[in-house]
């Protein structure tokens, strides 16, 4: 066979296939049957066997990049004829997936699209394995291993982004029209989720977003929420989802409580002109919210007191703590154009109500009056005066809220709708939220490491450092660096849970 320089890999594969066909025909027409086998395998060996690595090096990633189904099928067929052909193809296939996936996961500038790209990539590779590689189990398993390997190369972020992707799908107003479509997407997400080692990061972000969907009333469908929950339970066990289930239970109990509260209110001598809805959240099920004291108008405070009397009358000994960040309200507003209803956050409410009392206020005055924390207040003012629905005017104009800015009521506000939603900011994740969610996971991991060390040492009494570390790796369900384990062990020694052996410092003893 002469050199076939300048020929592309697809061309070469077709050429080999053609040559084999010709030889086959020739054998059938002229040659004795017994000649067939050695001849064909000589040709296979010469055309393929000696060039396998070169062919794969030169061509496999292009074939996969371009999704060349015909040539990939041919490649598999030809390689399966040559001794050692499939194992070498397998190796290149695994490497390709690791390197392509590693690019997707390892490029922070592309985080926005990471999950969608992973889903598309998984689809494409599945398709190749099914259609071109004859559903060969070894190839399918290698693909799974490769996914698991590259997705965990970058700790934590993929888990966070998967949670956010699910949130975007389960939120009201997403593009997936039908329940079936949504179901299909959630199933696919679970396949990617399965590869993730640190599922606690997923849980933390999932929980934070679920809380918002439930409390701000932005869930696309209760059925889809429940379906996702059961998928998670199936995948990770009941312990993983028990708090999430508690959140749903709280929501349902709250509905019943509100029915009773309405009846109770009808019996009150002084009916309120505000309709109050309260969700009673069990601490521990829900994300931890930083307590925030804001100044509510007197009517609201009164109503809170009424509710407190009602609730504690039924459940004495419980403690109620109001959580304003996720509160929301519908305000009746009157503009020159006419009456409107504004769907707003509680913080937006507090700001807007000030304009019943006065014409114009500075940021500082609003801050003093409402008690809303500075960063939160600036975001709130921005949403009311610089967003799409500007019910306040900012003076001077501009898209950021600066010290000394003055605000007044925008009487000329116009909108084609009667009820206008301005509380989308409640659904947005702030930088602080992202950081505190992540930090809480890391904090929790430290407790879990400590608990695992103590548990192991209590049982084993004496262990070498290496054995302890390897037991820890068996027990811990999230990625940890050896250095982190060492720090936790040091800290437990400092706190007298264990001690170093006097003679050999790599040996630890449990301290009862
Ligand atoms: C599947 O691929 C592996 C690759 O190493 C190969 O050894 C095996 O024979 C293939 N199985 C089938 C059924 O072709
Ligand atoms: C309302 O008041 C009536 C009469 O005082 C009482 O019988 C009833 O139980 C009260 N209902 C509620 C829900 O408190």
């Amino acid at each position: 066979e002469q050199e076939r320089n300048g020929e592309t890999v697809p061309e070469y594969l077709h050429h080999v296939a053609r040559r084999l066909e010709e030889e086959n025909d020739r054998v059938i027409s002229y040659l004795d049957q017994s000649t067939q086998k050695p001849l064909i395998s000589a040709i296979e060996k010469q055309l393929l066997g000696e060039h396998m690595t070169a062919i794969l090096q030169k061509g496999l990633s292009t074939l996969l990049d371009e999704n060349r189904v015909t040539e990939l099928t041919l490649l598999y067929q030809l390689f399966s004829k040559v001794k050692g052909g499939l194992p070498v193809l397998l190796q290149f296939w695994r490497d390709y997936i690791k390197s392509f996936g590693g690019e997707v996961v390892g490029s922070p500038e592309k985080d926005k699209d990471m999950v969608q790209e992973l889903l598309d990539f998984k689809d494409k590779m599945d398709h190749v394995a099914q259609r071109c590689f004859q559903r060969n189990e070894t190839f399918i398993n290698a693909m799974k291993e490769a996914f698991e390997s590259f997705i965990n190369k970058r700790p934590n972020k993929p888990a966070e982004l998967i949670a956010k992707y699910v949130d975007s799908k389960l939120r009201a107003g997403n593009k997936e029209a039908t329940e079936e479509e949504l179901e299909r997407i959630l199933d696919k997400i679970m396949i990617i989720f399965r590869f993730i080692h640190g599922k606690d990061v997923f849980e933390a972000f999932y929980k934070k977003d679920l809380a918002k969907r439930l409390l701000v009333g932005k869930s696309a469908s209760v059925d889809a929420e429940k379906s996702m929950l059961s998928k998670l339970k199936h995948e990770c066990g009941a312990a993983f989802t028990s708090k999430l289930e508690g959140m749903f239970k709280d929501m349902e109990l709250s509905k019943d409580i509100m029915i009773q509260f309405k009846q109770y209110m009808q019996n009150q001598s002084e009916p309120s002109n505000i309709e109050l809805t309260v969700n009673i959240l069990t601490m521990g099920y829900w994300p931890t919210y930083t307590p925030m004291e804001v100044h509510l108008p007197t009517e609201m405070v009164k109503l809170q007191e009424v509710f407190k009397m009602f609730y504690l009358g039924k459940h004495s000994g419980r403690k109620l703590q109001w959580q304003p960040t996720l509160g929301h309200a519908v305000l009746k507003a009157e503009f020159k154009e006419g009456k409107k209803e504004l769907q707003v956050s509680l913080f937006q409410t507090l700001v807007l109500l000030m304009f019943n009392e006065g014409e114009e206020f500075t940021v500082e005055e609003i801050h003093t009056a409402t008690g809303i924390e500075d960063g939160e207040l600036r975001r709130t003012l921005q949403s009311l005066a610089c967003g799409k629905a500007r019910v306040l005017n900012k003076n001077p104009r501009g898209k950021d809220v600066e010290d000394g800015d003055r605000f007044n009521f925008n009487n000329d506000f116009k909108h084609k709708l009667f009820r206008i939603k301005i509380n989308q900011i409640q659904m947005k994740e702030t930088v602080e939220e992202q950081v505190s969610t992540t930090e809480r996971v890391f904090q929790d991991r430290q407790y879990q490491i400590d608990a695992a060390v103590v548990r192991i040492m209590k049982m084993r009494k004496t262990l070498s450092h290496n054995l302890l570390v390897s037991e820890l790796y068996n027990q811990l369900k999230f990625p940890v660096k050896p250095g982190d384990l060492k720090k936790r062990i040091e800290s437990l020694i400092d706190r007298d849970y264990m001690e170093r052996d006097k003679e050999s410092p790599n040996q630890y003893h449990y301290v009862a």
Side-chain angles (χ1 to χ4, degrees):
E1 188 68 9
Q2 72 268 42
E3 288 265 333
R4 302 190 61 93
N5 277 339
E7 198 171 41
T8 64
V9 167
E11 280 163 358
Y12 186 72
L13 292 172
H14 285 297
H15 160 77
V16 175
R18 220 161 30 238
R19 284 278 280 118
L20 287 172
E21 228 168 87
E22 283 164 15
E23 290 308 327
N24 244 325
D25 290 348
R26 188 159 28 181
V27 171
I28 292 163
S29 344
Y30 317 108
L31 297 174
D32 180 63
Q33 276 294 320
S34 62
T35 329
Q36 179 179 1
K37 265 217 157 134
L39 179 62
I40 298 282
S41 74
I43 292 170
E44 284 168 353
K45 184 154 179 285
Q46 196 181 36
L47 291 184
L48 279 174
E50 322 221 308
H51 311 287
M52 289 193 299
T53 307
I55 292 171
L56 293 172
Q57 249 162 16
K58 198 169 154 202
L60 183 66
S61 51
T62 315
L63 294 182
L64 288 167
D65 282 345
E66 295 174 1
N67 205 16
R68 302 277 288 258
V69 173
T70 314
E71 284 78 16
L72 286 165
T73 310
L74 191 55
L75 182 74
Y76 184 89
Q77 282 168 356
L78 292 174
F79 272 56
S80 64
K81 293 174 200 276
V82 187
K83 188 160 171 290
L86 288 186
V88 63
L89 175 58
L90 180 75
Q91 188 50 47
F92 274 82
W93 155 255
R94 188 187 282 126
D95 291 349
Y96 172 82
I97 296 174
K98 279 189 193 170
S99 115
F100 189 98
E103 278 289 309
V104 174
V105 166
S107 324
E109 72 280 4
K110 291 200 297 188
D111 279 355
K112 195 166 60 62
D113 303 317
M114 182 204 291
V115 178
Q116 190 58 55
E117 281 194 29
L118 288 180
L119 290 173
D120 294 344
F121 182 50
K122 182 72 175 38
D123 267 352
K124 188 171 150 184
M125 292 304 102
D126 276 339
H127 190 245
V128 171
Q130 299 290 323
R131 266 200 65 190
C132 312
F133 296 173
Q134 302 178 1
R135 309 204 158 113
N136 183 315
E137 286 284 333
T138 317
F139 280 78
I140 292 173
N141 288 334
M143 166 171 64
K144 289 182 186 158
E145 278 164 34
F147 264 82
E148 185 169 341
S149 152
F150 77 68
I151 215 167
N152 290 300
K153 276 269 160 60
R154 186 171 168 206
N156 308 320
K157 200 68 184 178
E160 174 186 334
L161 294 175
I162 291 173
K164 286 177 176 164
Y165 185 88
V166 177
D167 175 56
S168 75
K169 298 297 168 190
L170 290 177
R171 256 190 212 190
N174 88 67
K175 294 187 296 296
E176 269 66 45
T178 64
E179 294 265 330
E180 292 84 64
E181 236 175 318
L182 192 52
E183 225 8 67
R184 215 169 36 80
I185 292 172
L186 295 181
D187 280 334
K188 282 191 180 175
I189 269 290
M190 288 310 293
I191 293 173
I192 304 275
F193 173 68
R194 196 164 296 155
F195 299 130
I196 296 282
H197 288 164
K199 293 191 166 64
D200 49 354
V201 173
F202 172 90
E203 193 212 357
F205 280 92
Y206 187 78
K207 186 160 140 177
K208 171 181 76 64
D209 292 335
L210 172 64
K212 286 193 179 187
R213 292 197 299 278
L214 294 178
L215 295 175
V216 186
K218 298 280 183 192
S219 177
S221 116
V222 177
D223 288 347
E225 295 284 0
K226 294 261 165 91
S227 156
M228 184 62 196
L229 196 60
S230 80
K231 289 184 209 304
L232 287 172
K233 190 172 185 171
H234 181 77
E235 185 65 35
C236 308
F240 188 82
T241 48
S242 70
K243 288 181 180 174
L244 302 175
E245 277 167 12
M247 292 164 70
F248 282 96
K249 226 176 281 159
D250 277 350
M251 292 306 286
E252 297 195 352
L253 282 178
S254 296
K255 265 190 215 146
D256 292 342
I257 293 171
M258 285 331 290
I259 293 172
Q260 295 166 22
F261 181 59
K262 286 230 164 75
Q263 288 167 356
Y264 176 86
M265 285 304 281
Q266 281 163 4
N267 260 10
Q268 296 283 303
S269 49
E270 272 181 88
S272 169
N273 59 351
I274 309 174
E275 210 180 299
L276 173 70
T277 304
V278 180
N279 289 307
I280 305 282
L281 316 182
T282 311
M283 245 193 204
Y285 288 167
W286 295 75
T288 315
Y289 300 107
T290 332
M292 259 189 209
E293 288 286 335
V294 292
H295 310 148
L296 299 179
T298 339
E299 310 94 86
M300 284 195 194
V301 175
K302 258 194 223 153
L303 202 52
Q304 277 189 336
E305 282 306 312
V306 174
F307 182 80
K308 204 167 145 190
M309 290 286 285
F310 157 79
Y311 186 76
L312 297 182
K314 288 177 162 305
H315 307 277
S316 61
R318 288 201 189 160
K319 196 165 164 268
L320 283 182
Q321 185 184 34
W322 296 93
Q323 180 44 252
T325 23
L326 293 177
H328 50 103
V330 176
L331 293 184
K332 294 192 162 84
E334 209 165 329
F335 299 95
K336 229 186 257 165
E337 192 192 39
K339 291 191 169 151
K340 299 279 183 199
E341 282 186 3
L342 307 178
Q343 196 172 320
V344 283
S345 72
L346 180 62
F347 293 156
Q348 288 172 327
T349 306
L350 299 183
V351 171
L352 289 176
L353 287 178
M354 284 184 72
F355 293 89
N356 281 340
E357 314 296 331
E359 284 294 314
E360 191 178 62
F361 299 99
T362 61
V363 187
E364 293 74 15
E365 285 164 344
I366 299 174
H367 176 68
T368 311
T370 60
I372 301 171
E373 180 270 327
D374 188 64
E376 199 68 59
L377 178 63
R378 278 167 206 262
R379 290 200 317 128
T380 301
L381 287 168
Q382 194 177 35
S383 69
L384 293 170
C386 316
K388 282 205 189 97
R390 304 182 179 187
V391 291
L392 295 182
N393 292 316
K394 185 174 94 76
N395 199 351
R397 287 159 172 277
K399 65 179 175 42
D400 291 312
V401 173
E402 311 284 354
D403 293 349
D405 280 359
R406 315 181 68 81
F407 294 85
N408 61 54
F409 180 65
N410 178 14
N411 202 12
D412 296 324
F413 176 73
K414 284 192 171 64
H415 204 285
K416 60 180 192 303
L417 297 178
F418 173 65
R419 181 180 277 210
I420 303 146
K421 290 180 193 160
I422 320 183
N423 67 334
Q424 287 88 339
I425 50 162
Q426 287 188 287
M427 296 302 285
K428 261 212 192 113
E429 179 185 76
T430 61
V431 177
E432 297 84 40
E433 256 181 308
Q434 195 277 340
V435 171
S436 68
T437 307
T438 315
E439 273 174 1
R440 238 172 250 131
V441 174
F442 293 160
Q443 187 76 60
D444 194 53
R445 283 182 181 178
Q446 296 207 338
Y447 296 139
Q448 290 196 49
I449 297 172
D450 288 4
V453 173
V454 172
R455 205 166 49 231
I456 294 167
M457 288 309 296
K458 190 173 179 180
M459 202 165 76
R460 308 288 294 269
K461 305 295 184 230
T462 293
L463 265 185
S464 72
H465 178 81
N466 288 346
L467 280 178
L468 175 58
V469 166
S470 88
E471 286 239 9
L472 283 170
Y473 275 117
N474 282 337
Q475 292 198 11
L476 297 171
K477 292 200 178 69
F478 46 83
V480 258
K481 297 196 204 80
D484 297 336
L485 293 181
K486 213 168 173 175
K487 263 191 224 144
R488 298 319 304 160
I489 292 171
E490 292 297 338
S491 148
L492 287 166
I493 292 174
D494 287 346
R495 288 180 282 152
D496 293 330
Y497 283 95
M498 52 201 270
E499 62 187 10
R500 280 183 201 287
D501 189 277
K502 307 248 166 5
E503 325 273 76
S504 53
N506 272 329
Q507 194 87 357
Y508 304 124
H509 302 292
Y510 177 65
V511 179

